[in-house]
């Protein structure tokens, strides 16, 4: 299918057009219960077992707002530097769709709980790009449909569909950016970095699982092109189903190339919903709507307005954890890193790992050294992200501790790490199983030294004669005899001691 | 084959029955059976009930009798008394149709809060009463299950939407009933059947389990043959419900005490406002004469009568027929053949979900419901919202302000409940606007969320049919209107030679 | 102005998912026109800066604790379904896109 789409060379697109982005991110809150009823929100339950009259849309049932969800919405708004509404209402968004039990979604319309904020996004080269936030509002998720009988399991060609309403009513926060202009060639990167930064932020706030693969964080990307230097936005498309950070970047890039080709060919862009296909990296048009949508929004009469007192808002501001960018600033200072060093750590995805290793007792210098040198090498060899290595910060900290206390040499430590990476267990188990311990038993070492001196009487004589550097040969022999598990420095001391005795 | 013992039971008030049941002079089962017999005898003629739950009712009555026999105190002042429930409140495992084909055969898996409170209070639910489809109408002619007939004249409508509830009272099929009132659906049927109907303050009775027509206007309330009975029922069903976000978190106003106080017959110091807008063209002369006589009686009871103008009430009808249809177009969207209720046109392959939805809604809804859904869809659509829905909500504010200004001068407001007495079946079915006029006087209280009730004022001198006096009170001051109504009721009976309800013509009982 | 055309009624019926008949289109067009003309009276009120009333009770901030409450069993949930398959509501094929 995608072969039929004309694409314009990316550089050519940028030579002629400026991209404009708009990102809509839906976040499922990790509250215990749904937005408007007491049903659990757990993922993956048996179909239609987490439902009640309210979330099934049964006649007569009524919604009651989950206070925790409002709290989470306000905290998200505050973390995004938003204003918090002094008074706002829920609204009904009316449209018929089988996954929507009431055939309206209870959402917020022109009175979002949070508005006018921004998120500073750090790009790969360390530059910061500010993404302005239009609004963050509360709403509810839909049920899930399973399409049966179609060749692809997709909606088209299906004979019928099966509905599970466990997800219906799960609290969602929709975060909408203002138009992102001026990103130019970095538009795809900005889109990805924004979603990534938002994910980190939501994780720090502990309000959502932010699992893109499970749909608890979903991104819709609006893309349009306007003639370079112009100020009138072009017609945009909205690409849905963008389920990973990498997909966000690819989808934006693809749409830019596709729209560039259409516009350059004298065509015009149709305002439409498009779907991103992970395997081909392309977007395709959804089914055209016969009539333009008219959601007939009106204030939800079953719910009363939300009017967060300023005291409550300030109290919630006080509960904000250290936010990702504050933490980065603090860490850079505490670890005494240059901007370039900090950027390298960020790009390597090492900051959290190092911080956790420090948390587990290691010094920041040691922790950093392990993660960005030996472990990064191992990750590169495996073609994996650093975080995907099968070793935990706690394990790394233990290895560092073993070195610091003299149980392992650096060389042995690397072998211990290799063992952990190979799945041989905890560092201590690897050390035991592989017999990696430094021989620190003094009498054993002394015996080995005596033996080496006896075997090399001429060398012993030289040392006695003052040629201390000749001790190296004896140390070497002892190290060989102990299979390298002795502390060479200590062996050397013992040799000198033995000769001068 | 009328039976004097059971006649005596079915013609008693709820308060009298409760007292006798609690003193164990008569059992709840006997009382329930007497009413079930009466229903079996007269309902083929009246059609007040869509579903009679004899088994459930007798079981509930037995439970009350057993509790009393074991020495327990009655669960409530109405324990053991039977009641007719409007078929718009959900009843677990008992059919709930809202008078619509759409919900034919639907067995709700849950009880409405009102239903639950009735059960917990030991009130015996006899069955579910007929109504205009989804409460849209003023005559029960919009029920998918046939019209209910007015016991005063069976060629006439019993009012609506809750015509079944009110007719069941006037036909002595039940001493108590529950209605719901969005624009007058409790008060207007009360007026035309000579019974008492109360629309409590919005938020005073939980809407959880009340199948929504217009959420910001709907309010469930008590129906009875006397003011005291209505008050007793009000206290059973009223009060805060955490399942309804619009439920008021405050104690129920002391309506029983107010009704008892009013029954002493003294209204000295009470200021009664007569709304000048509710008279003139469109009002039946006999209705206005009955109203004037009622105001005269109130003055004789010591009330101070004041004329009050509420200029924006003239726009109430327009605002109501924009707001209610708008909300209804959204509330009724859930009837789509996907999860419950009727499904039409599913051939297993060819027709899509969209087509099945449209075919089902076309087949399952009657014409009045369709009209209102379309009006509401129009009023909310982009380009029309500001002129229609938005403007209607502003008018709503102005009406509330008119009320507020009036209540600075008076304690309660009065008006006729309806412009006319019961009209003939079929007379207005093809003229929606004429039908809408039935709610002319009742709508303002819904828009403002205030309390209002209808108490019979007498019979219209030109047709001998009941007329209702509407008594309105500020939000959360429901007790005021009970006091005035109870006082009026005593004076009326004294002036007219006994309870009005006893003048309902005898119904032929089929054996 | 409130007169409403047959096409507009057809559009409303589509939005409201009502498969109305040709005959109904005519009836509804005339009835809706009359009703809209009557309710349009609200436009005569000068209400420029009057705040709209969406709720009849002056309540705000009605919240529920984030605690799980028992809901319906799977059986209860599916009991009224016109069709069930694999413990899910079975519905005819869906044409439109998800919103
Ligand atoms: Zn639920």
């Amino acid at each position: 299918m995608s072969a039929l789409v004309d694409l314009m060379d990316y550089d050519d697109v940028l030579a002629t057009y400026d991209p404009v982005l708009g990102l809509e991110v839906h976040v499922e809150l990790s509250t215990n219960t749904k937005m408007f009823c007491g049903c659990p929100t757990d993922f993956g339950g048996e179909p239609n077992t987490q439902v009640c009259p309210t979330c099934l849309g049964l006649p007569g049932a009524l919604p009651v707002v989950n206070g925790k969800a409002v709290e989470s919405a306000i905290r998200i708004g505050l973390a995004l530097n938003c204003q918090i509404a002094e008074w706002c209402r829920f609204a009904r968004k009316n449209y018929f769709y089988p996954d929507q039990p009431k055939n309206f979604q209870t959402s917020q319309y022109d009175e979002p709980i949070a508005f006018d904020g921004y998120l500073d996004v750090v790009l790969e080269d360390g530059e910061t790009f500010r993404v302005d936030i239009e609004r963050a509002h509360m709403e509810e998720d839909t049920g899930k449909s399973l399409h049966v009988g179609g060749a692809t399991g997709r909606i088209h060609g299906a004979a019928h569909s099966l509905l599970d309403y466990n997800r219906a009513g799960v609290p969602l926060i929709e975060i909408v950016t203002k138009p992102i202009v001026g990103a130019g060639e970095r538009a795809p990167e900005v889109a990805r970095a924004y979603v990534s930064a938002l994910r980190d932020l939501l994780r720090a706030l502990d309000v959502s699982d932010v699992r893109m693969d499970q749909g608890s964080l979903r991104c819709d990307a609006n893309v349009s092109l306007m003639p370079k230097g112009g100020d009138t936005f072009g017609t945009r498309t909205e690409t849905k189903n963008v389920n990973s950070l990498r997909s966000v970047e690819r989808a934006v890039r693809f749409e830019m190339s596709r729209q560039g080709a259409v516009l350059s060919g004298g065509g015009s862009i149709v305002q439409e919903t498009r779907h991103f296909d992970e395997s081909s990296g392309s977007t395709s048009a959804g089914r055209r709507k016969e009539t333009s949508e008219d959601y007939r929004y009106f204030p939800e009469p079953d719910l009363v307005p939300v009017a967060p007192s300023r005291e409550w808002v300030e109290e919630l501001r006080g509960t904000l954890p250290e936010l990702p960018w504050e933490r980065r600033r603090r860490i850079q200072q505490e670890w005494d890193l240059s901007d370039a060093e900090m950027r390298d750590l960020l790009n390597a995805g090492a900051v959290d790992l190092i911080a956790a290793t420090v948390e587990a007792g290691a010094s920041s210098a040691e922790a950093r050294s392990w993660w960005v040198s030996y472990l990064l090498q191992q990750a590169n060899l495996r073609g994996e992200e650093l975080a995907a290595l099968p070793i935990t910060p706690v394990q790394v900290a233990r290895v560092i501790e073993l070195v610091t206390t003299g149980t392992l040499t650096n060389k042995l430590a690397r072998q211990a790490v290799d063992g952990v990476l190979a799945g041989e267990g905890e560092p201590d188990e690897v050390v035991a199983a592989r017999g990696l311990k430094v021989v620190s038993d003094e009498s054993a070492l002394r015996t080995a030294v005596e033996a080496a001196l006896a075997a090399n009487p001429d060398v012993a004589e030289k040392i006695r004669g003052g040629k201390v550097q000749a001790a190296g040969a004896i140390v070497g022999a002892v190290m060989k005899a102990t299979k390298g598990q002795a502390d060479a420095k200590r062996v050397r001391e013992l040799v000198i001691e033995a000769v001068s005795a | 084959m009328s039976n004097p013992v059971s006649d005596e039971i079915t013609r008693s008030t709820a308060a009298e029955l409760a007292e006798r049941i609690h003193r164990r002079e008569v059992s709840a089962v006997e009382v329930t059976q007497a009413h079930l017999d009466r229903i079996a005898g007269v309902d083929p003629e009246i059609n007040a009930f869509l579903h009679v739950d004899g088994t459930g009712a007798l079981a509930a009555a037995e439970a009350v009798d057993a509790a009393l026999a074991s020495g327990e105190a009655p669960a409530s002042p109405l324990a053991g008394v039977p009641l007719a429930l409007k078929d718009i409140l959900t009843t677990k495992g008992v059919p709930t149709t809202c008078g619509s084909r759409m919900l034919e055969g639907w067995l709700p898996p849950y009880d409405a809060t009102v239903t639950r409170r009735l059960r917990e209070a030991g009130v015996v639910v006899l069955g579910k009463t007929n109504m205009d489809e989804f409460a849209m109408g003023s005559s029960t002619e919009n029920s998918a299950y046939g019209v209910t007939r007015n016991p005063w004249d069976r060629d006439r409508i019993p009012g609506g939407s809750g015509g079944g509830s009110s007719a069941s009272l006037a036909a002595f099929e039940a001493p108590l009933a529950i209605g719901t009132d969005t624009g007058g659906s409790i008060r207007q049927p009360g007026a035309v059947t000579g019974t008492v109907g109360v629309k409590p303050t919005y938020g005073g009775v939980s809407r959880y389990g009340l199948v929504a027509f217009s959420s910001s206007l709907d309010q469930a309330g008590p129906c009875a043959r006397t003011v005291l009975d209505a008050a007793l029922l009000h206290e059973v069903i009223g009060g805060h419900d955490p399942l309804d976000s619009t439920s008021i978190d405050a104690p129920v106003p002391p309506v029983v005490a107010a009704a008892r106080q009013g029954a002493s017959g003294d209204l000295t110091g009470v200021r009664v406002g007569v709304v000048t807008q509710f008279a003139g063209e469109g009002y039946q002369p006999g209705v206005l004469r009955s109203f004037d006589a009622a105001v005269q009686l109130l003055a004789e009871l010591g009330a101070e009568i004041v004329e009050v103008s509420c200029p924006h009430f003239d726009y109430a009808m327009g605002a109501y027929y924009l707001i209610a249809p708008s909300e209804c177009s959204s509330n009724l969207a859930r009837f789509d053949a996907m999860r419950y209720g009727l499904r039409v046109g599913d051939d297993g392959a060819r027709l899509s979900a969209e087509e099945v939805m449209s075919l089902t809604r076309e087949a399952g809804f009657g014409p009045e419901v369709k009209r209102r859904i379309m009006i509401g869809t129009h009023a909310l659509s982009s380009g029309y919202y500001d002129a229609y829905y938005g403007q209607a909500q502003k008018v709503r504010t102005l009406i509330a302000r008119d009320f507020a200004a009036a209540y600075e001068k008076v304690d309660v407001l009065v008006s006729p409940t309806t412009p006319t007495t019961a009209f003939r079946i079929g007379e207005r079915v093809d003229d929606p606007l004429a039908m809408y006029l039935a709610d002319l006087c009742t709508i303002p209280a819904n828009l403002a969320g205030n309390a209002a009730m209808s108490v019979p004022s007498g019979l219209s001198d030109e047709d001998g049919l009941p007329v209702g006096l509407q008594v309105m009170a500020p939000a959360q001051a429901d007790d005021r209107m009970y006091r005035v109504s109870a006082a009026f009721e005593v004076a009326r009976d004294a002036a007219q030679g006994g309870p009005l309800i006893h003048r309902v013509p005898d119904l032929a009982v089929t054996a | 102005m409130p007169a409403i055309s047959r096409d507009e009624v057809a559009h409303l019926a589509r939005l409201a998912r009502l498969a109305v008949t040709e005959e109904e289109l005519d009836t509804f067009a005339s009835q809706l026109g009359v009703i809209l003309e009557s309710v349009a009276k609200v436009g005569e009120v000068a209400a420029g800066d009057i705040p709209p009333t969406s709720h009849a009770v002056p309540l705000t901030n009605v919240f529920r604790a984030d605690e799980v409450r028992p809901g319906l069993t799977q059986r209860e949930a599916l009991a009224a379904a016109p069709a069930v398959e694999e413990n899910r509501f079975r519905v005819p094929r869906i044409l439109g896109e998800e919103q």
Side-chain angles (χ1 to χ4, degrees):
Chain A
M1 276 208 299
S2 63
L4 299 173
V5 179
D6 266 345
L7 294 180
M8 191 179 193
D9 179 78
Y10 191 68
D11 291 333
D12 293 344
V13 173
L14 292 161
T16 326
Y17 302 105
D18 283 329
V20 179
L21 304 181
L23 298 166
E24 291 170 23
V25 171
H26 286 88
V27 187
E28 271 185 5
L29 296 181
S30 53
T31 46
N32 295 326
T33 64
K34 294 185 179 182
M35 188 73 219
F36 302 116
C37 64
C39 291
T41 54
D42 309 322
F43 181 81
E46 281 295 300
N48 298 303
T49 54
Q50 293 161 210
V51 293
C52 72
T54 297
C55 59
L56 258 191
L58 294 190
L62 293 173
V64 185
V65 174
N66 183 341
K68 182 72 189 294
V70 176
E71 189 180 295
S72 298
I74 294 173
R75 291 176 73 234
I76 291 169
L78 290 172
L80 288 171
N81 309 291
C82 286
Q83 308 287 309
I84 304 302
E86 295 197 10
W87 189 89
C88 64
R89 288 176 295 188
F90 285 94
R92 291 188 184 178
K93 180 183 182 182
N94 293 286
Y95 65 91
F96 285 86
Y97 203 81
D99 67 9
Q100 184 72 265
K102 301 165 294 186
N103 287 318
F104 62 78
Q105 182 189 32
T106 307
S107 179
Q108 293 193 288
Y109 179 45
D110 47 2
E111 299 165 8
I113 185 141
F115 53 94
D116 282 351
Y118 62 86
L119 180 60
D120 282 333
V121 173
V122 182
L123 302 179
E124 261 185 46
D125 65 359
E127 227 170 273
T128 298
F129 191 98
R130 175 162 293 188
V131 175
D132 288 324
I133 305 293
E134 171 87 32
R135 57 189 282 156
H137 72 249
M138 300 176 278
E139 59 183 36
E140 57 179 337
D141 213 340
T142 59
K144 269 188 181 157
S145 17
L146 205 70
H147 306 296
V148 183
T152 56
R154 282 202 53 193
I155 189 163
H156 299 292
H160 63 270
S161 298
L162 302 177
L163 287 153
D164 167 15
Y165 293 101
N166 283 351
R167 198 183 66 179
V170 167
L172 288 182
I173 304 295
E174 181 177 342
I175 300 162
V176 183
T177 66
K178 291 186 174 157
I180 302 169
V181 288
E185 62 173 335
R186 309 191 72 171
E189 187 197 344
V190 167
R192 178 199 176 120
Y194 166 74
V195 177
S196 170
L198 192 54
R199 193 179 62 171
D200 291 348
L201 173 64
L202 295 165
R203 197 180 280 137
L205 289 170
D206 195 22
V207 291
S208 170
D209 299 335
V210 287
R211 293 276 303 262
M212 291 188 90
D213 57 330
Q214 289 186 356
S216 58
L217 189 149
R218 312 196 278 270
C219 177
D220 301 337
N222 290 280
V223 178
S224 67
L225 297 179
M226 63 178 172
K228 223 173 170 45
D231 53 7
T232 312
F233 295 169
T235 305
R236 68 192 154 82
T237 59
E238 182 178 17
T239 302
K240 302 218 170 209
N241 197 29
V242 196
N243 293 333
S244 70
L245 291 178
R246 191 165 157 257
S247 296
V248 173
E249 187 165 356
R250 289 168 83 205
V252 169
R253 200 182 172 94
F254 181 88
E255 266 305 282
M256 286 171 62
S257 292
R258 189 190 67 83
Q259 293 186 12
V262 171
L263 294 170
S264 307
S268 54
I269 301 300
V270 182
Q271 184 166 349
E272 63 187 355
T273 298
R274 298 184 68 86
H275 292 267
F276 183 69
D277 180 58
E278 297 260 357
S279 56
S280 65
S282 62
T283 69
S284 59
R287 183 174 170 272
R288 267 317 144 66
K289 283 161 187 150
E290 313 139 38
T291 46
S292 64
E293 285 302 332
D294 187 346
Y295 292 122
R296 288 160 283 133
Y297 283 100
F298 72 101
E300 166 60 275
D302 286 329
L303 295 170
V304 302
V306 176
S309 71
R310 297 302 98 177
E311 294 72 37
W312 190 32
V313 171
E314 287 317 306
E315 193 186 309
L316 290 176
R317 198 191 297 279
T319 70
L320 292 185
E322 184 182 35
L323 298 172
W325 52 88
E326 293 168 351
R327 175 160 173 267
R328 278 197 296 272
R329 206 177 304 131
R330 173 180 60 79
I331 281 177
Q332 186 175 351
Q333 210 168 26
E334 282 180 9
W335 297 356
D336 196 18
L337 303 176
S338 69
D339 288 352
E341 285 170 325
M342 187 67 195
R343 187 169 70 235
D344 288 345
L345 295 192
L346 286 169
N347 289 342
V351 174
D352 287 347
L353 296 167
I354 297 169
T357 310
V358 171
E359 181 85 358
S363 78
S364 68
E366 292 283 354
R368 190 157 67 91
S369 146
W370 272 98
W371 283 105
V372 297
S373 53
Y374 189 67
L375 287 166
L376 188 58
Q377 276 168 30
Q378 300 306 307
N380 290 340
L381 283 175
R382 290 164 171 245
E384 278 178 353
E385 296 279 314
L386 202 48
L389 281 180
I391 186 165
T392 64
V394 171
Q395 290 170 327
V396 174
R398 175 60 183 159
V399 170
I400 291 170
E401 187 186 5
L402 290 172
V403 173
T404 315
T405 55
T407 311
L408 293 180
T409 60
N410 274 326
K411 190 176 158 211
L412 288 172
R414 281 194 286 276
Q415 291 176 40
V417 167
D418 290 342
V420 175
L421 291 174
E424 292 166 23
E426 290 298 315
D428 289 283
E429 289 166 348
V430 175
V431 167
R434 289 194 176 192
L436 296 180
K437 256 193 187 136
V438 171
V439 178
S440 52
D441 180 339
E442 291 266 319
S443 64
L445 277 184
R446 268 184 231 281
T447 313
V449 167
E450 297 294 345
L453 287 171
N456 300 281
D458 46 334
V459 180
E461 204 48 47
K462 275 182 188 166
I463 301 168
R464 262 185 218 108
K467 290 197 162 184
V468 183
Q469 60 270 49
I474 302 296
V475 174
V478 172
M479 290 306 283
K480 197 174 173 190
T482 56
K483 297 186 187 119
Q485 294 179 20
D487 180 350
K489 199 171 145 226
R490 181 65 187 144
V491 171
R492 188 181 184 83
E493 285 166 11
L494 288 176
V495 170
I496 307 289
E497 214 173 280
V499 171
S500 35
Chain B
M1 56 141 262
S2 111
N3 170 338
V5 176
S6 51
D7 270 4
E8 190 254 311
I9 287 176
T10 56
R11 295 177 81 84
S12 301
T13 68
E16 289 161 359
L17 289 174
E19 202 176 305
R20 291 173 60 202
I21 293 167
H22 299 170
R23 284 208 299 252
R24 307 196 62 215
E25 293 166 10
V26 61
S27 72
V29 167
E30 282 171 277
V31 168
T32 299
Q33 190 58 58
H35 285 92
L36 290 172
D37 291 346
R38 173 77 182 171
I39 291 168
V42 305
D43 211 53
E45 184 67 20
I46 299 298
N47 195 32
F49 284 86
L50 293 178
H51 178 81
V52 177
D53 181 21
T55 317
L58 289 169
E62 268 170 38
V64 171
D65 286 335
L68 293 172
S70 71
E72 283 178 36
S76 79
L78 291 176
V81 178
L83 170 141
L85 188 58
K86 189 177 181 183
D87 203 27
I88 198 170
L89 289 146
T90 60
T91 39
K92 187 172 180 174
V94 175
T96 302
T97 68
C98 300
S100 181
R101 287 280 168 230
M102 192 59 95
L103 284 177
E104 194 167 5
W106 182 54
L107 300 177
Y110 78 108
D111 271 338
T113 296
V114 166
T115 309
R116 184 173 53 77
R117 288 192 176 160
L118 291 169
R119 294 195 201 286
E120 287 168 1
V123 174
V124 175
V125 177
L126 296 168
K128 308 293 290 288
T129 59
N130 199 12
M131 56 185 282
D132 286 298
E133 184 175 12
F134 289 108
M136 297 176 209
S138 306
S139 67
T140 74
E141 290 166 296
N142 297 331
S143 167
Y145 307 98
V147 67
T148 296
R149 293 175 181 275
N150 191 327
W152 290 82
D153 177 348
R154 277 160 280 165
D155 290 333
R156 294 183 185 259
I157 59 98
S161 63
S165 284
S166 295
S168 75
L169 301 174
F172 299 101
E173 295 172 285
L176 296 171
I178 297 289
T180 62
D181 190 315
T182 306
S185 286
I186 289 176
R187 289 162 288 162
Q188 182 258 3
V192 301
T193 58
T195 57
V196 176
V198 180
K199 184 203 93 71
T201 298
Y202 182 88
V205 177
S206 171
R207 290 187 299 116
Y208 187 77
L210 190 179
V211 181
F213 156 22
S214 179
S215 313
S216 76
L217 302 168
D218 294 343
Q219 183 57 214
C223 308
R225 288 191 293 258
T226 69
V227 174
L228 176 64
D229 283 0
L232 289 165
L233 183 52
H234 191 141
E235 290 195 358
V236 165
I237 61 173
H240 182 241
D241 179 12
L243 299 179
D244 175 359
S245 307
T246 60
S247 166
I248 296 169
D249 192 0
V252 183
V255 293
V256 171
R260 293 195 198 280
Q261 182 197 0
S264 71
D266 181 14
L267 289 181
T268 309
V270 177
R271 297 165 303 165
V272 174
V274 175
V275 183
T276 55
Q277 275 71 17
F278 292 136
E281 206 190 328
Y283 286 81
Q284 191 177 316
V287 167
L288 292 178
R289 280 192 290 272
S290 178
F291 174 67
D292 290 343
V295 172
Q296 183 57 38
L297 265 186
L298 291 173
E300 287 165 20
L301 291 169
E304 179 194 338
I305 310 295
V306 184
E307 278 208 346
V308 173
S309 176
C310 296
H312 295 99
F313 283 17
D314 290 342
Y315 303 95
M317 189 84 157
Y320 176 81
Y321 278 99
L322 286 166
I323 291 170
S326 294
E327 293 183 4
C328 115
S329 72
S330 174
N331 282 329
L332 269 61
R334 70 188 61 200
F335 301 104
D336 66 355
M338 299 294 115
R339 292 160 297 280
Y340 47 81
L342 186 68
R343 179 180 285 186
V344 171
D346 184 7
D347 57 1
R350 196 176 57 83
L351 291 179
S352 67
E354 288 83 343
E355 289 164 312
V356 168
M357 280 185 191
S358 298
L359 289 170
T360 302
R361 290 165 62 78
E362 169 66 12
F365 290 140
E368 180 61 19
V369 171
K370 288 185 215 171
R371 270 194 291 272
R372 296 206 195 180
I373 287 176
M374 284 196 279
I375 292 279
T377 303
H378 185 60
L380 289 175
S381 52
S382 61
Y384 294 98
Y385 182 95
D386 290 341
Y388 285 140
Y389 187 76
Q391 179 74 4
Q393 290 206 324
K394 290 179 171 185
V395 169
R396 191 172 182 176
T397 306
L398 292 169
I399 288 166
R401 288 182 184 175
D402 278 1
F403 268 119
Y407 288 132
E408 286 191 1
K409 292 184 223 132
V410 298
D411 301 306
V412 297
L413 291 170
V414 293
S415 77
T417 307
T418 61
T420 70
T421 54
F423 45 89
R424 286 181 198 285
I425 289 168
E427 196 178 305
R428 299 187 186 180
V429 271
D430 294 323
D431 186 351
L433 273 190
M435 189 71 88
Y436 296 173
L437 287 175
D439 292 332
L440 196 61
C441 312
T442 45
I443 281 171
N446 295 87
L447 290 171
N450 291 342
M453 66 188 285
S454 179
V455 59
S457 61
L459 301 182
S460 168
D461 50 21
E462 69 246 294
D463 55 18
L465 291 169
V467 176
L469 169 70
Q470 178 173 230
V471 186
M472 296 173 273
Q476 286 292 85
D478 306 45
D479 49 322
R480 285 190 208 168
M481 65 182 186
Y482 274 97
R483 180 183 168 199
V484 171
S485 297
F488 174 77
E489 185 179 50
V490 170
R492 177 203 69 200
D493 288 353
Q496 298 178 3
L500 190 75
I501 197 70
H502 290 168
R503 289 149 74 183
V504 182
D506 275 340
L507 291 167
V509 173
T510 55
Chain C
M1 170 289 246
I4 191 162
S5 72
R6 214 168 173 277
D7 283 353
E8 284 175 285
V9 174
H11 170 70
L12 292 175
R14 242 188 337 266
L15 268 180
R17 296 284 189 275
L18 292 167
V20 293
T21 62
E22 290 296 309
E23 200 189 332
E24 277 179 308
L25 280 181
D26 292 323
T27 325
F28 286 141
S30 80
Q31 289 176 338
L32 299 195
V34 171
I35 295 169
L36 286 172
E37 201 169 323
S38 151
V39 297
K41 198 180 174 195
V42 295
E44 294 168 13
V45 182
D49 53 353
I50 303 296
T53 296
S54 54
H55 297 78
V57 274
L59 295 170
T60 54
N61 297 338
V62 174
F63 302 139
R64 167 178 63 78
D66 186 25
E67 288 158 11
V68 173
R69 277 173 52 95
L72 299 174
T73 63
Q74 190 184 57
R75 218 175 130 161
E76 285 172 322
L78 295 166
V84 173
E85 190 175 309
E86 294 172 13
N87 295 318
R88 294 174 173 89
F89 294 84
R90 181 185 160 140
V91 306
R93 67 203 173 89
I94 301 170
L95 290 183
E97 298 290 344
E98 283 171 52
Q99 302 282 317

